[in-house]
Amino acid sequence: MLQVNNIKENKEEFIKGLKKRNFEAESILEEVLQLDEKRRATQVKLDDILAESNRLSKEIGMMFKNGEHQKANLIKEKTGNLKEDSKALSEELSETILKLETLLYTIPNVPHESVPAGTSEDDNEEIFKEGDVPVLAEGSLPHWELAKKYDIIDFELGNKVTGAGFPVYKGKGARLQRALITYFLDKAIDAGYTEYQLPLMINEASGLGTGQLPDKEGQMYHVTADDLYMIPTAEVPMTNMYRDRLLTDKDFPIACTGYTPCFRREAGSYGAHVRGLNRLHQFDKVELVRIEKPEDSYAALDNMVEHIKDILADLKLPYRILRLCGGDLGFTAALTYDFEVFSTAQDRWLEISSVSNFETFQANRLKLRYKNKEGKKELVHTLNGSALALPRVLAGILENYQTEDGIKVPDVLVPYTGFDLID
């Protein structure tokens, strides 16, 4: 959520920045400022009335004490009118604040100056590429056929037990999945991240805090009886651990990691591009979350990018990094880098990670601040990244490492799997 004071001070810059998202902001930002002005004016009136009411109450007490009962009763009638006025102003103030917050929730984050304008993923900028795409033998298979051939993932069984998009991993497939999770966590811990095991459901306040609500409500599984939501990513509970916190210098840097299953309805996702592991309703992911002072956040973002590059170099998977354009940027992000691995058998790039800096956008909702050296309270910057989401990493390994004898296991994973070939 944008800060009203920042909107007031940087209105024209915000209008220009939000145009990169194809979001026409001028009228809505003006409405925000008008509502904020009304809120301030109403608050002043209410404060004046409450102050007058308190002053008269003290006078009445003194009059009764001095035996001036008739005079006290006359003033008492006036305090009754003031109470009616204060009640009406309190209701008006609450209504104005609600309108203001509701409006602010509809405005996306302002993109970083480096974000290119654009309307879709076609306008994203490739900024890095590494690894040679392997030349596969004739008759090489996509991962969903390899999974069936080697009996390591059962999509039909998952459909029977739950529904489409809930695969069952088995045998060496389950062990490879577990190996990837442990390897990703070990890499994060070695890099200084603290591991957490997190709840798989969140309340509404947590969804609002990190921006999943109300923006992505339709993509989340809602447990209506308890008004809880299945997490779409570990980012949500992990970042919300710090909701309503006031940090100090000694708390930084904050670097968290955690493995969780993730749940997404993926409504409206159909077609060949969602086959197999390409798009699921339940999938595993190791997440990174950083909370930084504003002056340190972009160095932290670069550090997260290098961390993921190091993992992909270990796995020897061909990949590229994209800087997302305004039209493809997530609602809460100021800057996002997407990592994509090349799926050789499908002859296409598959997204495996997004690394984002949200600047103060989430922190404003979370009421997450720190006390700087001058003793002033300031909003922090929040960041997160997948390191990594497993389904498409696994798809890339199965397809790029397939041979006539079976599927080789990347060398870095062999100590975790206990085997070097799926056959």
Side-chain angles (χ1 to χ4, degrees):
M1 186 165 64
L2 298 179
Q3 296 171 260
V4 176
N5 286 342
N6 284 348
I7 293 173
K8 189 178 295 184
E9 295 170 5
N10 306 287
K11 181 183 170 186
E12 295 306 317
E13 290 178 31
F14 282 13
I15 291 170
K16 183 180 177 182
L18 287 166
K19 277 185 178 177
K20 289 184 178 181
R21 291 181 174 271
N22 311 299
F23 186 91
E24 294 300 326
E26 185 169 3
S27 61
I28 195 170
L29 293 185
E30 183 57 38
E31 189 177 351
V32 164
L33 294 179
Q34 288 174 3
L35 282 169
D36 185 59
E37 188 59 38
K38 182 179 179 182
R39 178 193 66 79
R40 290 171 183 271
T42 306
Q43 185 71 63
V44 169
K45 288 180 185 177
L46 179 59
D47 289 344
D48 288 345
I49 286 174
L50 291 174
E52 177 67 5
S53 181
N54 287 335
R55 185 184 68 80
L56 291 175
S57 294
K58 288 179 182 178
E59 281 190 20
I60 290 168
M62 290 299 295
M63 287 174 185
F64 276 120
K65 188 176 180 180
N66 296 331
E68 301 174 277
H69 298 285
Q70 187 175 358
K71 192 175 179 181
N73 286 326
L74 286 173
I75 297 177
K76 202 172 181 181
E77 289 180 19
K78 188 177 179 180
T79 61
N81 293 332
L82 288 174
K83 284 180 181 178
E84 289 297 321
D85 291 343
S86 67
K87 182 182 177 183
L89 283 170
S90 292
E91 290 173 355
E92 183 181 343
L93 181 62
S94 296
E95 185 180 335
T96 303
I97 290 172
L98 180 60
K99 284 181 180 178
L100 178 59
E101 288 184 346
T102 301
L103 198 59
L104 285 168
Y105 280 144
T106 67
I107 306 171
N109 202 356
V110 178
H112 186 264
E113 60 185 11
S114 67
V115 171
T119 57
S120 71
E121 61 184 22
D122 296 331
D123 300 311
N124 294 336
E125 290 182 351
E126 181 179 292
I127 62 170
F128 187 83
K129 184 187 284 187
E130 187 168 272
D132 297 322
V133 174
V135 178
L136 300 180
E138 187 176 346
S140 295
L141 302 173
H143 70 267
W144 54 86
E145 292 187 25
L146 291 168
K148 187 171 185 178
K149 177 179 179 180
Y150 295 106
D151 196 26
I152 54 174
I153 308 172
D154 196 325
F155 294 100
E156 289 76 15
L157 185 56
N159 192 24
K160 173 186 176 182
V161 172
T162 306
F166 295 87
V168 172
Y169 301 85
K170 53 193 294 192
K172 287 186 174 181
R175 290 168 65 185
L176 180 56
Q177 184 88 338
R178 177 159 50 90
L180 281 165
I181 293 166
T182 307
Y183 162 65
F184 292 157
L185 285 172
D186 283 352
K187 289 287 285 188
I189 292 165
D190 289 345
Y193 289 81
T194 300
E195 182 183 357
Y196 290 86
Q197 285 193 345
L198 300 154
L200 302 184
M201 291 190 286
I202 55 161
N203 54 32
E204 184 180 27
S206 292
L208 286 168
T210 43
Q212 280 66 36
L213 297 176
D215 181 52
K216 295 181 176 66
E217 192 167 11
Q219 293 294 337
M220 296 171 72
Y221 286 100
H222 189 196
V223 184
T224 54
D226 300 298
D227 197 21
L228 296 173
Y229 294 84
M230 302 300 295
I231 62 168
T233 166
E235 168 209 344
V236 186
M238 204 179 306
T239 308
N240 271 279
M241 293 191 301
Y242 292 89
R243 178 158 39 93
D244 298 317
R245 288 278 302 274
L246 178 62
L247 305 172
T248 61
D249 262 354
K250 63 181 177 59
D251 294 313
F252 296 102
I254 295 171
C256 312
T257 189
Y259 152 69
T260 66
C262 304
F263 304 88
R264 299 182 186 178
R265 292 186 62 240
E266 297 290 2
S269 297
Y270 306 102
H273 67 289
V274 301
R275 288 194 67 179
L277 297 171
N278 288 348
R279 186 156 299 187
L280 301 173
H281 294 304
Q282 178 182 323
F283 61 94
D284 293 316
K285 184 153 67 85
V286 172
E287 191 77 358
L288 307 177
V289 165
R290 307 247 330 220
I291 295 171
E292 301 282 352
K293 291 185 283 188
E295 62 267 28
D296 299 330
S297 72
Y298 278 94
L301 183 68
D302 291 342
N303 180 272
M304 294 169 78
V305 168
E306 292 302 317
H307 178 83
I308 296 165
K309 286 169 67 174
D310 188 47
I311 291 174
L312 291 169
D314 282 353
L315 292 173
K316 295 182 172 59
L317 289 172
Y319 72 96
R320 66 179 184 176
I321 305 175
L322 304 176
R323 181 189 286 118
L324 297 194
C325 72
D328 202 28
L329 197 63
F331 184 86
T332 55
L335 175 62
T336 295
Y337 295 112
D338 267 9
F339 283 73
E340 295 183 337
V341 66
F342 194 76
S343 168
T344 308
Q346 297 179 75
D347 192 30
R348 59 190 289 253
W349 292 98
L350 301 174
E351 180 196 332
I352 55 167
S353 176
S354 285
V355 188
S356 302
N357 190 340
F358 305 104
E359 297 188 353
T360 61
F361 195 81
Q362 288 183 333
N364 192 28
R365 291 190 181 203
L366 292 160
K367 295 181 174 59
L368 173 53
R369 299 167 297 165
Y370 81 102
K371 190 176 286 188
N372 63 24
K373 291 177 181 177
E374 291 74 38
K376 183 181 176 183
K377 293 175 183 177
E378 189 176 345
L379 290 172
V380 301
H381 281 193
T382 62
L383 305 91
N384 87 277
S386 307
L388 289 162
L390 271 74
R392 293 173 183 175
V393 173
L394 186 57
I397 290 172
L398 296 181
E399 294 179 3
N400 292 339
Y401 277 85
Q402 61 181 301
T403 69
E404 292 181 358
D405 299 322
I407 300 165
K408 290 183 178 179
V409 175
D411 292 341
V412 72
L413 296 178
V414 172
Y416 292 93
T417 58
F419 56 85
D420 59 7
L421 187 71
I422 297 173
D423 56 10

mmCIF file of all heavy atoms in Angstrom, residues 5 9 16 19 81 100 102 118 147 154 177 193 203 211 222 263 270 285 351 362 376 382 385 398 404 420:
data_model
loop_
_atom_site.group_PDB
_atom_site.id
_atom_site.type_symbol
_atom_site.label_atom_id
_atom_site.label_comp_id
_atom_site.label_asym_id
_atom_site.label_seq_id
_atom_site.Cartn_x
_atom_site.Cartn_y
_atom_site.Cartn_z
ATOM 1 N N ASN A 5 1.455 10.323 2.390
ATOM 2 C CA ASN A 5 2.427 11.418 2.373
ATOM 3 C C ASN A 5 3.321 11.362 1.143
ATOM 4 O O ASN A 5 3.652 12.395 0.551
ATOM 5 C CB ASN A 5 3.279 11.410 3.645
ATOM 6 C CG ASN A 5 2.506 11.893 4.857
ATOM 7 O OD1 ASN A 5 1.463 12.528 4.725
ATOM 8 N ND2 ASN A 5 3.011 11.597 6.042
ATOM 9 N N GLU A 9 3.712 14.125 -1.902
ATOM 10 C CA GLU A 9 4.995 14.716 -2.258
ATOM 11 C C GLU A 9 5.470 14.335 -3.659
ATOM 12 O O GLU A 9 6.246 15.064 -4.277
ATOM 13 C CB GLU A 9 6.051 14.299 -1.236
ATOM 14 C CG GLU A 9 5.800 14.847 0.164
ATOM 15 C CD GLU A 9 6.716 14.236 1.208
ATOM 16 O OE1 GLU A 9 7.617 13.449 0.815
ATOM 17 O OE2 GLU A 9 6.532 14.516 2.406
ATOM 18 N N LYS A 16 3.471 9.014 -13.455
ATOM 19 C CA LYS A 16 4.363 8.602 -14.541
ATOM 20 C C LYS A 16 4.822 7.164 -14.359
ATOM 21 O O LYS A 16 4.825 6.363 -15.310
ATOM 22 C CB LYS A 16 5.565 9.547 -14.592
ATOM 23 C CG LYS A 16 6.528 9.271 -15.724
ATOM 24 C CD LYS A 16 7.680 10.264 -15.696
ATOM 25 C CE LYS A 16 8.700 9.948 -16.785
ATOM 26 N NZ LYS A 16 9.855 10.890 -16.742
ATOM 27 N N LYS A 19 2.159 4.525 -15.030
ATOM 28 C CA LYS A 19 1.846 4.362 -16.462
ATOM 29 C C LYS A 19 2.625 3.204 -17.063
ATOM 30 O O LYS A 19 2.197 2.605 -18.055
ATOM 31 C CB LYS A 19 2.140 5.662 -17.220
ATOM 32 C CG LYS A 19 1.010 6.670 -17.146
ATOM 33 C CD LYS A 19 1.275 7.892 -18.015
ATOM 34 C CE LYS A 19 0.070 8.843 -17.946
ATOM 35 N NZ LYS A 19 0.315 10.089 -18.717
ATOM 36 N N ASN A 81 -24.868 17.835 24.040
ATOM 37 C CA ASN A 81 -24.859 18.161 22.608
ATOM 38 C C ASN A 81 -23.493 17.867 21.985
ATOM 39 O O ASN A 81 -23.410 17.391 20.842
ATOM 40 C CB ASN A 81 -25.209 19.636 22.406
ATOM 41 C CG ASN A 81 -26.648 19.942 22.793
ATOM 42 O OD1 ASN A 81 -27.522 19.070 22.716
ATOM 43 N ND2 ASN A 81 -26.915 21.170 23.219
ATOM 44 N N LEU A 100 -10.784 5.548 2.320
ATOM 45 C CA LEU A 100 -9.400 5.832 1.950
ATOM 46 C C LEU A 100 -8.586 4.550 1.857
ATOM 47 O O LEU A 100 -7.867 4.323 0.871
ATOM 48 C CB LEU A 100 -8.787 6.784 2.980
ATOM 49 C CG LEU A 100 -7.313 7.164 2.789
ATOM 50 C CD1 LEU A 100 -7.087 7.827 1.439
ATOM 51 C CD2 LEU A 100 -6.848 8.067 3.919
ATOM 52 N N THR A 102 -9.673 1.447 1.495
ATOM 53 C CA THR A 102 -10.199 0.613 0.399
ATOM 54 C C THR A 102 -9.650 1.080 -0.937
ATOM 55 O O THR A 102 -9.271 0.270 -1.798
ATOM 56 C CB THR A 102 -11.741 0.660 0.383
ATOM 57 O OG1 THR A 102 -12.234 0.190 1.644
ATOM 58 C CG2 THR A 102 -12.298 -0.215 -0.722
ATOM 59 N N GLY A 118 5.778 -1.685 -20.654
ATOM 60 C CA GLY A 118 5.368 -2.816 -21.477
ATOM 61 C C GLY A 118 3.989 -3.285 -21.099
ATOM 62 O O GLY A 118 3.451 -2.907 -20.048
ATOM 63 N N ALA A 147 8.148 -39.281 -16.563
ATOM 64 C CA ALA A 147 7.624 -39.631 -15.240
ATOM 65 C C ALA A 147 6.854 -40.944 -15.289
ATOM 66 O O ALA A 147 6.951 -41.777 -14.369
ATOM 67 C CB ALA A 147 6.723 -38.502 -14.730
ATOM 68 N N ASP A 154 2.966 -39.911 -10.516
ATOM 69 C CA ASP A 154 1.683 -40.455 -10.984
ATOM 70 C C ASP A 154 0.641 -39.337 -10.976
ATOM 71 O O ASP A 154 0.102 -38.973 -9.934
ATOM 72 C CB ASP A 154 1.252 -41.611 -10.084
ATOM 73 C CG ASP A 154 0.163 -42.467 -10.732
ATOM 74 O OD1 ASP A 154 -0.684 -41.883 -11.450
ATOM 75 O OD2 ASP A 154 0.166 -43.692 -10.508
ATOM 76 N N GLN A 177 12.723 -35.364 -5.160
ATOM 77 C CA GLN A 177 12.009 -34.186 -4.669
ATOM 78 C C GLN A 177 12.531 -33.784 -3.281
ATOM 79 O O GLN A 177 12.816 -32.611 -3.021
ATOM 80 C CB GLN A 177 10.510 -34.509 -4.607
ATOM 81 C CG GLN A 177 9.613 -33.361 -4.197
ATOM 82 C CD GLN A 177 9.170 -32.507 -5.373
ATOM 83 O OE1 GLN A 177 9.807 -32.495 -6.412
ATOM 84 N NE2 GLN A 177 8.085 -31.776 -5.186
ATOM 85 N N TYR A 193 20.864 -17.568 5.954
ATOM 86 C CA TYR A 193 19.424 -17.493 6.212
ATOM 87 C C TYR A 193 19.045 -18.406 7.387
ATOM 88 O O TYR A 193 19.604 -19.492 7.542
ATOM 89 C CB TYR A 193 18.633 -17.923 4.969
ATOM 90 C CG TYR A 193 18.694 -16.939 3.822
ATOM 91 C CD1 TYR A 193 19.787 -16.917 2.958
ATOM 92 C CD2 TYR A 193 17.669 -16.021 3.620
ATOM 93 C CE1 TYR A 193 19.856 -16.012 1.907
ATOM 94 C CE2 TYR A 193 17.727 -15.114 2.566
ATOM 95 C CZ TYR A 193 18.823 -15.115 1.719
ATOM 96 O OH TYR A 193 18.886 -14.207 0.693
ATOM 97 N N ASN A 203 -4.444 -16.211 8.235
ATOM 98 C CA ASN A 203 -5.690 -15.476 8.440
ATOM 99 C C ASN A 203 -5.767 -14.303 7.462
ATOM 100 O O ASN A 203 -4.818 -14.025 6.712
ATOM 101 C CB ASN A 203 -5.820 -15.000 9.891
ATOM 102 C CG ASN A 203 -4.613 -14.191 10.355
ATOM 103 O OD1 ASN A 203 -3.980 -13.485 9.584
ATOM 104 N ND2 ASN A 203 -4.289 -14.300 11.641
ATOM 105 N N GLY A 211 -0.260 -8.423 0.656
ATOM 106 C CA GLY A 211 -0.850 -7.995 -0.606
ATOM 107 C C GLY A 211 -1.541 -9.080 -1.414
ATOM 108 O O GLY A 211 -1.962 -8.835 -2.546
ATOM 109 N N HIS A 222 -9.791 -20.992 0.063
ATOM 110 C CA HIS A 222 -10.360 -20.370 1.250
ATOM 111 C C HIS A 222 -11.091 -21.422 2.081
ATOM 112 O O HIS A 222 -12.027 -22.073 1.594
ATOM 113 C CB HIS A 222 -11.331 -19.254 0.834
ATOM 114 C CG HIS A 222 -11.807 -18.422 1.979
ATOM 115 N ND1 HIS A 222 -12.912 -17.580 1.884
ATOM 116 C CD2 HIS A 222 -11.360 -18.292 3.255
ATOM 117 C CE1 HIS A 222 -13.102 -16.973 3.040
ATOM 118 N NE2 HIS A 222 -12.172 -17.389 3.887
ATOM 119 N N PHE A 263 -0.212 -23.625 -2.364
ATOM 120 C CA PHE A 263 -1.529 -23.985 -2.897
ATOM 121 C C PHE A 263 -2.088 -22.823 -3.712
ATOM 122 O O PHE A 263 -2.250 -21.715 -3.194
ATOM 123 C CB PHE A 263 -2.489 -24.319 -1.753
ATOM 124 C CG PHE A 263 -1.979 -25.410 -0.846
ATOM 125 C CD1 PHE A 263 -1.176 -25.116 0.249
ATOM 126 C CD2 PHE A 263 -2.277 -26.739 -1.107
ATOM 127 C CE1 PHE A 263 -0.693 -26.112 1.077
ATOM 128 C CE2 PHE A 263 -1.787 -27.748 -0.286
ATOM 129 C CZ PHE A 263 -0.999 -27.434 0.814
ATOM 130 N N TYR A 270 -5.583 -23.408 -18.661
ATOM 131 C CA TYR A 270 -5.891 -24.591 -19.454
ATOM 132 C C TYR A 270 -4.913 -24.688 -20.619
ATOM 133 O O TYR A 270 -4.188 -23.742 -20.930
ATOM 134 C CB TYR A 270 -7.322 -24.521 -20.013
ATOM 135 C CG TYR A 270 -8.381 -24.298 -18.964
ATOM 136 C CD1 TYR A 270 -8.942 -23.032 -18.783
ATOM 137 C CD2 TYR A 270 -8.805 -25.326 -18.130
ATOM 138 C CE1 TYR A 270 -9.910 -22.804 -17.822
ATOM 139 C CE2 TYR A 270 -9.771 -25.109 -17.149
ATOM 140 C CZ TYR A 270 -10.313 -23.852 -17.009
ATOM 141 O OH TYR A 270 -11.261 -23.626 -16.042
ATOM 142 N N LYS A 285 8.119 -25.590 -2.532
ATOM 143 C CA LYS A 285 8.987 -24.443 -2.809
ATOM 144 C C LYS A 285 9.804 -24.107 -1.572
ATOM 145 O O LYS A 285 9.304 -24.177 -0.449
ATOM 146 C CB LYS A 285 8.134 -23.235 -3.239
ATOM 147 C CG LYS A 285 8.948 -22.010 -3.658
ATOM 148 C CD LYS A 285 8.167 -21.153 -4.651
ATOM 149 C CE LYS A 285 6.937 -20.498 -4.068
ATOM 150 N NZ LYS A 285 7.273 -19.217 -3.401
ATOM 151 N N GLU A 351 9.406 -20.588 -16.120
ATOM 152 C CA GLU A 351 9.745 -19.783 -14.949
ATOM 153 C C GLU A 351 9.949 -20.682 -13.732
ATOM 154 O O GLU A 351 9.123 -21.532 -13.427
ATOM 155 C CB GLU A 351 8.629 -18.779 -14.654
ATOM 156 C CG GLU A 351 8.920 -17.900 -13.447
ATOM 157 C CD GLU A 351 7.689 -17.189 -12.918
ATOM 158 O OE1 GLU A 351 6.765 -16.915 -13.704
ATOM 159 O OE2 GLU A 351 7.637 -16.937 -11.692
ATOM 160 N N GLN A 362 4.736 -3.430 1.106
ATOM 161 C CA GLN A 362 4.223 -4.398 2.080
ATOM 162 C C GLN A 362 4.372 -3.879 3.495
ATOM 163 O O GLN A 362 3.471 -4.047 4.334
ATOM 164 C CB GLN A 362 4.950 -5.735 1.944
ATOM 165 C CG GLN A 362 4.602 -6.536 0.709
ATOM 166 C CD GLN A 362 5.311 -7.881 0.685
ATOM 167 O OE1 GLN A 362 6.391 -8.050 1.262
ATOM 168 N NE2 GLN A 362 4.726 -8.851 0.006
ATOM 169 N N LYS A 376 14.102 8.273 14.545
ATOM 170 C CA LYS A 376 12.864 8.427 13.794
ATOM 171 C C LYS A 376 12.366 7.064 13.325
ATOM 172 O O LYS A 376 13.149 6.211 12.904
ATOM 173 C CB LYS A 376 13.097 9.340 12.589
ATOM 174 C CG LYS A 376 11.857 9.621 11.769
ATOM 175 C CD LYS A 376 12.193 10.511 10.576
ATOM 176 C CE LYS A 376 10.979 10.719 9.693
ATOM 177 N NZ LYS A 376 11.307 11.521 8.483
ATOM 178 N N THR A 382 10.887 -4.811 2.204
ATOM 179 C CA THR A 382 10.768 -6.267 2.232
ATOM 180 C C THR A 382 11.093 -6.827 0.852
ATOM 181 O O THR A 382 10.816 -6.203 -0.177
ATOM 182 C CB THR A 382 9.353 -6.722 2.649
ATOM 183 O OG1 THR A 382 8.397 -6.242 1.691
ATOM 184 C CG2 THR A 382 8.995 -6.201 4.030
ATOM 185 N N GLY A 385 12.103 -14.181 -2.623
ATOM 186 C CA GLY A 385 12.451 -14.895 -3.841
ATOM 187 C C GLY A 385 12.318 -16.388 -3.657
ATOM 188 O O GLY A 385 12.477 -16.910 -2.552
ATOM 189 N N LEU A 398 14.618 -33.662 -15.380
ATOM 190 C CA LEU A 398 14.177 -34.892 -16.065
ATOM 191 C C LEU A 398 14.411 -34.796 -17.566
ATOM 192 O O LEU A 398 14.885 -35.755 -18.194
ATOM 193 C CB LEU A 398 12.692 -35.146 -15.780
ATOM 194 C CG LEU A 398 12.296 -35.420 -14.329
ATOM 195 C CD1 LEU A 398 10.788 -35.666 -14.225
ATOM 196 C CD2 LEU A 398 13.075 -36.594 -13.754
ATOM 197 N N GLU A 404 19.834 -42.476 -22.958
ATOM 198 C CA GLU A 404 19.296 -43.775 -23.385
ATOM 199 C C GLU A 404 19.223 -44.748 -22.218
ATOM 200 O O GLU A 404 18.395 -45.667 -22.211
ATOM 201 C CB GLU A 404 20.166 -44.365 -24.505
ATOM 202 C CG GLU A 404 20.079 -43.580 -25.808
ATOM 203 C CD GLU A 404 20.945 -44.207 -26.900
ATOM 204 O OE1 GLU A 404 21.625 -45.219 -26.602
ATOM 205 O OE2 GLU A 404 20.949 -43.678 -28.020
ATOM 206 N N ASP A 420 22.546 -42.143 -8.554
ATOM 207 C CA ASP A 420 22.966 -41.191 -9.597
ATOM 208 C C ASP A 420 22.228 -41.400 -10.917
ATOM 209 O O ASP A 420 22.517 -40.728 -11.916
ATOM 210 C CB ASP A 420 24.478 -41.261 -9.843
ATOM 211 C CG ASP A 420 24.950 -42.645 -10.269
ATOM 212 O OD1 ASP A 420 24.086 -43.531 -10.504
ATOM 213 O OD2 ASP A 420 26.167 -42.844 -10.335
#
